[in-house]
Amino acid sequence: MSMRTPLGKVRGLGSAKSGTEHFWQQRITALANVPLMFFLVVVVIATIGADYAQAKALLGSPFVAIGVLAAVVSGLVHMRLGMQVIIEDYIPNEAMKIGALYLNTFATVLIGIACVWAVAKLSFGA
Amino acid sequence: MSTSTTKSSRPLSPHLQIYKLTWTMVMSIIHRVTGAGLYFGTLLLAWWLVSAAIGPGAFATAKAVFGSFLGRLVLFGFTWALFHHMIGGVRHFIWDLGRGFGEAERFLLAKITLGGSLALTILTWIVAYAAN
Ligand code: HEM
């Protein structure tokens, strides 16, 4: 057991060195999200009146498919970083916090894979 | 673990209920709430894309759910959350550039965020209904 206080232990160690990267990734994806989310809204509106074949053709066309994937990836990276901050702010219990952070990453990756699979199938599938 | 008393005797910053509710504070809270809301909205987007990839039956089911009254209500909220969070994000960019910190400017930014998000949401839905 150490006689040192928690503050004494970390003094002089500096930061964890990843805060700036987090900040930048948050801002870069936020900036990218602005045009990409407008694009996504237009794509969704365009499919409302379409029948299945038309919707599939639209979502699988090169420009739309790539744009949707860009929106999905940028959105997911951004929301994962954002949710990380929310978790760190509100969950003081260390074990629960780490569990929630893992869950956040797993959820993001899973949603991403599902979306990529969907757009790939719409683009190349039968 | 250390059993020192630094943790308990350290002065704590006052929490929310101490402060008077202000416009900028409400906007900050809404930015976080809409961000979290969009997180779950992304699940809807994923479901929609996957249903389209699976086939006509699954896509029709998703369409029926989104087209129902409740579905439309959720999507309307989704649209508003997206635009509110988007303009709120642009407001963050302005702050990042070191501008917009004055009292009047902060209030103006709050008004633009709220008014702009409502206007864009209604416009989007008018376009959606008109185009279909
Ligand atoms: C449409 C353009 C968007 C812009 C310009 C934008 C901008 C931002 C910015 C600047 C922040 C950081 C706020 C801060 O530092 O306190 C943020 C946080 C966040 N964003 Fe976005 N965002 C956008 C879209 C999205 C989308 C699509 C999602 C979810 C799928 C999302 C989820 C989040 C979350 C969860 C946070 C954390 C909120 C917080 O810490 O209070 N954002 N956003």
Side-chain angles (χ1 to χ4, degrees):
Chain A
M1 193 166 123
S2 167
M3 298 287 284
R4 301 183 64 197
T5 64
L7 181 61
K9 279 186 202 162
V10 298
R11 236 182 209 148
L13 291 178
S15 74
K17 306 279 194 300
S18 59
T20 313
E21 189 184 352
H22 179 113
F23 178 84
W24 268 118
Q25 281 189 2
Q26 183 87 36
R27 298 300 138 137
I28 290 169
T29 52
L31 192 63
N33 279 347
V34 176
L36 291 172
M37 292 305 145
F38 272 114
F39 177 76
L40 211 53
V41 168
V42 172
V43 170
V44 169
I45 290 175
T47 62
I48 296 174
D51 62 24
Y52 181 72
Q54 289 168 327
K56 185 177 192 291
L58 179 75
L59 292 173
S61 65
F63 183 71
V64 173
I66 292 169
V68 167
L69 282 183
V72 165
V73 172
S74 179
L76 284 170
V77 171
H78 177 89
M79 74 170 210
R80 177 179 166 272
L81 291 171
M83 188 54 76
Q84 181 190 328
V85 176
I86 295 178
I87 291 167
E88 287 164 352
D89 279 356
Y90 298 136
I91 307 186
N93 179 291
E94 198 65 18
M96 272 174 64
K97 184 195 296 176
I98 290 171
L101 290 174
Y102 271 116
L103 219 61
N104 183 32
T105 301
F106 290 154
T108 304
V109 172
L110 211 61
I111 296 170
I113 291 172
C115 290
V116 171
W117 172 81
V119 175
K121 183 155 186 291
L122 287 162
S123 301
F124 314 121
Chain B
M1 278 305 289
S2 165
T3 48
S4 80
T5 53
T6 38
K7 212 169 192 167
S8 50
S9 57
R10 216 173 350 130
L12 297 169
S13 60
H15 202 44
L16 284 181
Q17 60 269 28
I18 297 292
Y19 298 105
K20 176 168 151 272
L21 209 63
T22 62
W23 273 91
T24 43
M25 183 171 147
V26 172
M27 284 300 132
S28 167
I29 294 168
I30 295 181
H31 190 76
R32 174 157 283 193
V33 171
T34 51
L38 291 172
Y39 193 108
F40 296 99
T42 307
L43 279 174
L44 299 181
L45 174 71
W47 177 46
W48 180 70
L49 283 174
V50 168
S51 78
I54 290 174
F59 193 57
T61 304
K63 240 180 166 172
V65 172
F66 287 130
S68 69
F69 178 74
L70 203 65
R72 278 171 213 233
L73 206 64
V74 169
L75 286 183
F76 190 82
F78 192 178
T79 315
W80 173 76
L82 180 64
F83 286 130
H84 195 281
H85 188 89
M86 183 188 280
I87 303 176
V90 172
R91 183 195 49 149
H92 268 283
F93 291 137
I94 296 170
W95 286 333
D96 288 348
L97 295 172
R99 292 164 198 277
F101 287 110
E103 176 136 24
E105 292 158 292
R106 280 182 288 130
F107 187 56
L108 181 67
L109 284 172
K111 280 200 286 193
I112 291 173
T113 310
L114 192 59
S117 66
L118 288 172
L120 275 175
T121 304
I122 292 167
L123 189 71
T124 300
W125 280 71
I126 288 175
V127 169
Y129 273 105
N132 291 287

PDB file of all heavy atoms in Angstrom, chain A residues 57-75:
ATOM      1  N   ALA A  57     -31.988   0.518 -56.705  1.00  0.00           N
ATOM      2  CA  ALA A  57     -31.128   1.062 -57.755  1.00  0.00           C
ATOM      3  C   ALA A  57     -30.479   2.368 -57.294  1.00  0.00           C
ATOM      4  O   ALA A  57     -29.298   2.614 -57.535  1.00  0.00           O
ATOM      5  CB  ALA A  57     -31.936   1.289 -59.021  1.00  0.00           C
ATOM      6  N   LEU A  58     -31.270   3.193 -56.613  1.00  0.00           N
ATOM      7  CA  LEU A  58     -30.744   4.474 -56.142  1.00  0.00           C
ATOM      8  C   LEU A  58     -29.652   4.260 -55.085  1.00  0.00           C
ATOM      9  O   LEU A  58     -28.543   4.795 -55.199  1.00  0.00           O
ATOM     10  CB  LEU A  58     -31.872   5.329 -55.553  1.00  0.00           C
ATOM     11  CG  LEU A  58     -31.427   6.689 -55.018  1.00  0.00           C
ATOM     12  CD1 LEU A  58     -31.152   7.657 -56.158  1.00  0.00           C
ATOM     13  CD2 LEU A  58     -32.461   7.284 -54.066  1.00  0.00           C
ATOM     14  N   LEU A  59     -29.978   3.460 -54.059  1.00  0.00           N
ATOM     15  CA  LEU A  59     -29.030   3.244 -52.964  1.00  0.00           C
ATOM     16  C   LEU A  59     -27.778   2.503 -53.426  1.00  0.00           C
ATOM     17  O   LEU A  59     -26.721   2.630 -52.820  1.00  0.00           O
ATOM     18  CB  LEU A  59     -29.707   2.473 -51.821  1.00  0.00           C
ATOM     19  CG  LEU A  59     -30.800   3.234 -51.059  1.00  0.00           C
ATOM     20  CD1 LEU A  59     -31.521   2.323 -50.077  1.00  0.00           C
ATOM     21  CD2 LEU A  59     -30.218   4.435 -50.331  1.00  0.00           C
ATOM     22  N   GLY A  60     -27.905   1.731 -54.501  1.00  0.00           N
ATOM     23  CA  GLY A  60     -26.771   0.972 -54.990  1.00  0.00           C
ATOM     24  C   GLY A  60     -25.978   1.688 -56.070  1.00  0.00           C
ATOM     25  O   GLY A  60     -24.934   1.193 -56.502  1.00  0.00           O
ATOM     26  N   SER A  61     -26.456   2.860 -56.509  1.00  0.00           N
ATOM     27  CA  SER A  61     -25.709   3.592 -57.540  1.00  0.00           C
ATOM     28  C   SER A  61     -24.432   4.179 -56.933  1.00  0.00           C
ATOM     29  O   SER A  61     -24.407   4.531 -55.761  1.00  0.00           O
ATOM     30  CB  SER A  61     -26.585   4.692 -58.142  1.00  0.00           C
ATOM     31  OG  SER A  61     -26.894   5.650 -57.160  1.00  0.00           O
ATOM     32  N   PRO A  62     -23.361   4.238 -57.738  1.00  0.00           N
ATOM     33  CA  PRO A  62     -22.037   4.592 -57.191  1.00  0.00           C
ATOM     34  C   PRO A  62     -22.025   5.868 -56.350  1.00  0.00           C
ATOM     35  O   PRO A  62     -21.552   5.855 -55.206  1.00  0.00           O
ATOM     36  CB  PRO A  62     -21.185   4.764 -58.454  1.00  0.00           C
ATOM     37  CG  PRO A  62     -21.848   3.926 -59.481  1.00  0.00           C
ATOM     38  CD  PRO A  62     -23.308   3.962 -59.177  1.00  0.00           C
ATOM     39  N   PHE A  63     -22.541   6.952 -56.875  1.00  0.00           N
ATOM     40  CA  PHE A  63     -22.468   8.228 -56.171  1.00  0.00           C
ATOM     41  C   PHE A  63     -23.204   8.178 -54.832  1.00  0.00           C
ATOM     42  O   PHE A  63     -22.668   8.571 -53.780  1.00  0.00           O
ATOM     43  CB  PHE A  63     -23.055   9.340 -57.060  1.00  0.00           C
ATOM     44  CG  PHE A  63     -22.967  10.702 -56.457  1.00  0.00           C
ATOM     45  CD1 PHE A  63     -21.740  11.351 -56.343  1.00  0.00           C
ATOM     46  CD2 PHE A  63     -24.111  11.343 -55.989  1.00  0.00           C
ATOM     47  CE1 PHE A  63     -21.652  12.620 -55.781  1.00  0.00           C
ATOM     48  CE2 PHE A  63     -24.033  12.608 -55.422  1.00  0.00           C
ATOM     49  CZ  PHE A  63     -22.798  13.245 -55.318  1.00  0.00           C
ATOM     50  N   VAL A  64     -24.432   7.639 -54.868  1.00  0.00           N
ATOM     51  CA  VAL A  64     -25.227   7.560 -53.644  1.00  0.00           C
ATOM     52  C   VAL A  64     -24.599   6.600 -52.638  1.00  0.00           C
ATOM     53  O   VAL A  64     -24.484   6.901 -51.441  1.00  0.00           O
ATOM     54  CB  VAL A  64     -26.683   7.154 -53.954  1.00  0.00           C
ATOM     55  CG1 VAL A  64     -27.471   6.905 -52.668  1.00  0.00           C
ATOM     56  CG2 VAL A  64     -27.365   8.225 -54.793  1.00  0.00           C
ATOM     57  N   ALA A  65     -24.161   5.423 -53.129  1.00  0.00           N
ATOM     58  CA  ALA A  65     -23.583   4.419 -52.222  1.00  0.00           C
ATOM     59  C   ALA A  65     -22.344   4.966 -51.507  1.00  0.00           C
ATOM     60  O   ALA A  65     -22.203   4.828 -50.282  1.00  0.00           O
ATOM     61  CB  ALA A  65     -23.220   3.159 -53.004  1.00  0.00           C
ATOM     62  N   ILE A  66     -21.470   5.602 -52.258  1.00  0.00           N
ATOM     63  CA  ILE A  66     -20.245   6.147 -51.658  1.00  0.00           C
ATOM     64  C   ILE A  66     -20.581   7.275 -50.689  1.00  0.00           C
ATOM     65  O   ILE A  66     -20.025   7.367 -49.592  1.00  0.00           O
ATOM     66  CB  ILE A  66     -19.265   6.617 -52.771  1.00  0.00           C
ATOM     67  CG1 ILE A  66     -18.737   5.399 -53.534  1.00  0.00           C
ATOM     68  CG2 ILE A  66     -18.102   7.411 -52.173  1.00  0.00           C
ATOM     69  CD1 ILE A  66     -17.980   5.738 -54.801  1.00  0.00           C
ATOM     70  N   GLY A  67     -21.535   8.120 -51.080  1.00  0.00           N
ATOM     71  CA  GLY A  67     -21.949   9.218 -50.198  1.00  0.00           C
ATOM     72  C   GLY A  67     -22.563   8.705 -48.907  1.00  0.00           C
ATOM     73  O   GLY A  67     -22.262   9.215 -47.813  1.00  0.00           O
ATOM     74  N   VAL A  68     -23.420   7.701 -49.017  1.00  0.00           N
ATOM     75  CA  VAL A  68     -24.053   7.132 -47.820  1.00  0.00           C
ATOM     76  C   VAL A  68     -22.993   6.509 -46.912  1.00  0.00           C
ATOM     77  O   VAL A  68     -23.015   6.691 -45.687  1.00  0.00           O
ATOM     78  CB  VAL A  68     -25.134   6.086 -48.196  1.00  0.00           C
ATOM     79  CG1 VAL A  68     -25.565   5.278 -46.975  1.00  0.00           C
ATOM     80  CG2 VAL A  68     -26.343   6.774 -48.823  1.00  0.00           C
ATOM     81  N   LEU A  69     -22.032   5.802 -47.505  1.00  0.00           N
ATOM     82  CA  LEU A  69     -20.968   5.195 -46.700  1.00  0.00           C
ATOM     83  C   LEU A  69     -20.128   6.267 -46.008  1.00  0.00           C
ATOM     84  O   LEU A  69     -19.759   6.129 -44.835  1.00  0.00           O
ATOM     85  CB  LEU A  69     -20.073   4.301 -47.564  1.00  0.00           C
ATOM     86  CG  LEU A  69     -20.649   2.925 -47.910  1.00  0.00           C
ATOM     87  CD1 LEU A  69     -19.641   2.119 -48.709  1.00  0.00           C
ATOM     88  CD2 LEU A  69     -21.037   2.169 -46.638  1.00  0.00           C
ATOM     89  N   ALA A  70     -19.834   7.339 -46.721  1.00  0.00           N
ATOM     90  CA  ALA A  70     -19.072   8.432 -46.111  1.00  0.00           C
ATOM     91  C   ALA A  70     -19.840   9.008 -44.924  1.00  0.00           C
ATOM     92  O   ALA A  70     -19.268   9.251 -43.850  1.00  0.00           O
ATOM     93  CB  ALA A  70     -18.791   9.519 -47.152  1.00  0.00           C
ATOM     94  N   ALA A  71     -21.141   9.200 -45.108  1.00  0.00           N
ATOM     95  CA  ALA A  71     -21.974   9.742 -44.025  1.00  0.00           C
ATOM     96  C   ALA A  71     -21.994   8.782 -42.837  1.00  0.00           C
ATOM     97  O   ALA A  71     -21.888   9.209 -41.677  1.00  0.00           O
ATOM     98  CB  ALA A  71     -23.398   9.986 -44.532  1.00  0.00           C
ATOM     99  N   VAL A  72     -22.118   7.501 -43.127  1.00  0.00           N
ATOM    100  CA  VAL A  72     -22.162   6.499 -42.056  1.00  0.00           C
ATOM    101  C   VAL A  72     -20.843   6.475 -41.274  1.00  0.00           C
ATOM    102  O   VAL A  72     -20.825   6.529 -40.041  1.00  0.00           O
ATOM    103  CB  VAL A  72     -22.473   5.095 -42.629  1.00  0.00           C
ATOM    104  CG1 VAL A  72     -22.156   4.009 -41.620  1.00  0.00           C
ATOM    105  CG2 VAL A  72     -23.940   5.009 -43.050  1.00  0.00           C
ATOM    106  N   VAL A  73     -19.730   6.431 -41.989  1.00  0.00           N
ATOM    107  CA  VAL A  73     -18.431   6.342 -41.316  1.00  0.00           C
ATOM    108  C   VAL A  73     -18.140   7.604 -40.505  1.00  0.00           C
ATOM    109  O   VAL A  73     -17.783   7.535 -39.324  1.00  0.00           O
ATOM    110  CB  VAL A  73     -17.295   6.079 -42.345  1.00  0.00           C
ATOM    111  CG1 VAL A  73     -15.929   6.193 -41.681  1.00  0.00           C
ATOM    112  CG2 VAL A  73     -17.457   4.694 -42.966  1.00  0.00           C
ATOM    113  N   SER A  74     -18.317   8.756 -41.131  1.00  0.00           N
ATOM    114  CA  SER A  74     -18.056  10.010 -40.411  1.00  0.00           C
ATOM    115  C   SER A  74     -18.991  10.143 -39.213  1.00  0.00           C
ATOM    116  O   SER A  74     -18.565  10.508 -38.108  1.00  0.00           O
ATOM    117  CB  SER A  74     -18.234  11.198 -41.360  1.00  0.00           C
ATOM    118  OG  SER A  74     -18.018  12.405 -40.676  1.00  0.00           O
ATOM    119  N   GLY A  75     -20.257   9.828 -39.425  1.00  0.00           N
ATOM    120  CA  GLY A  75     -21.239   9.911 -38.341  1.00  0.00           C
ATOM    121  C   GLY A  75     -20.899   8.970 -37.191  1.00  0.00           C
ATOM    122  O   GLY A  75     -20.977   9.357 -36.024  1.00  0.00           O
TER     123      GLY A  75
END
